[in-house]
Amino acid sequence: MKNIFKLSLSLLANQFLASIGGFMCIIFVWLIAGETIYAHMLFLLITFSFFIYIELRAAYKYGYSNPDRRNKPQSKSYIFKGALSGLISSIPLMILIFIYIFTRPSSILISETAKLYSRIICMYYSWPMCNIFPNHVTAVLLSSLIWLIVLPMIGYIAGYKNFDF
């Protein structure tokens, strides 16, 4: 259980690292492509591939160093450890998304503030996707949770089984 919390803390730090990388990429993409759809697609390509790499590597490292890998080779408990760690690391983003969804009909200020902070926390994915699909902000914010859970699960399984990417 301690390793799951360590992995989830590492994944949370990787999310913030990817958001900082997204902030650094804004000027670069703006200088190349301006404010077009292609600029947002280029931004998504650069930042999301960086996010995928750091999430998979972190989960791979913890899956590879799991002691059950050598002690209990027939155990299937490794399958959902990466997903559980990703779920724990996505709790701050989940809270902001639920605040956005539940306060949208009643309070515009709270709703827009929660949307802004959730887009900043998930800068690598939701910022360009919300600009590419501006009428589907709720769907984009909810789909950003999928990557936070699926990628660590894939990385953990790959590390546990010693697959190389």
Side-chain angles (χ1 to χ4, degrees), residues 3 60-71 77-79 81 156 159-160:
N3 287 336
Y60 182 89
K61 183 181 86 166
Y62 280 93
Y64 185 76
S65 64
N66 188 348
D68 289 343
R69 188 172 151 252
R70 292 168 215 77
N71 299 339
S77 66
Y78 67 91
I79 292 177
K81 285 185 180 179
Y156 196 90
Y160 192 89

Side-chain angles (χ1 to χ4, degrees), residues 18 20 47 49 64 82 156:
I20 290 170
T47 57
S49 60
Y64 185 76
Y156 196 90

Side-chain angles (χ1 to χ4, degrees), residues 15-136:
Q15 291 173 26
F16 289 121
L17 181 67
S19 293
I20 290 170
F23 279 117
M24 291 191 303
C25 190
I26 287 174
I27 295 173
F28 172 71
V29 171
W30 180 71
L31 288 174
I32 290 177
E35 283 293 322
T36 63
I37 291 288
Y38 298 116
H40 295 294
M41 292 163 104
L42 179 65
F43 180 81
L44 181 67
L45 177 74
I46 293 170
T47 57
F48 197 60
S49 60
F50 174 67
F51 171 72
I52 288 172
Y53 174 74
I54 62 176
E55 288 284 303
L56 286 177
R57 288 307 297 170
Y60 182 89
K61 183 181 86 166
Y62 280 93
Y64 185 76
S65 64
N66 188 348
D68 289 343
R69 188 172 151 252
R70 292 168 215 77
N71 299 339
K72 302 178 206 170
Q74 304 302 334
S75 175
K76 299 290 183 196
S77 66
Y78 67 91
I79 292 177
F80 295 111
K81 285 185 180 179
L84 180 62
S85 298
L87 186 68
I88 291 170
S89 72
S90 66
I91 288 174
L93 186 61
M94 275 190 217
I95 291 170
L96 286 171
I97 291 172
F98 289 139
I99 288 172
Y100 168 70
I101 290 172
F102 292 125
T103 61
R104 195 171 35 166
S106 60
S107 173
I108 303 252
L109 179 66
I110 295 173
S111 173
E112 290 300 313
T113 305
K115 180 175 82 169
L116 176 69
Y117 283 125
S118 62
R119 286 177 71 180
I120 288 173
I121 286 176
C122 199
M123 169 70 81
Y124 49 88
Y125 177 75
S126 68
W127 198 278
M129 289 297 285
C130 286
N131 290 330
I132 293 171
F133 302 111
N135 296 332
H136 304 286

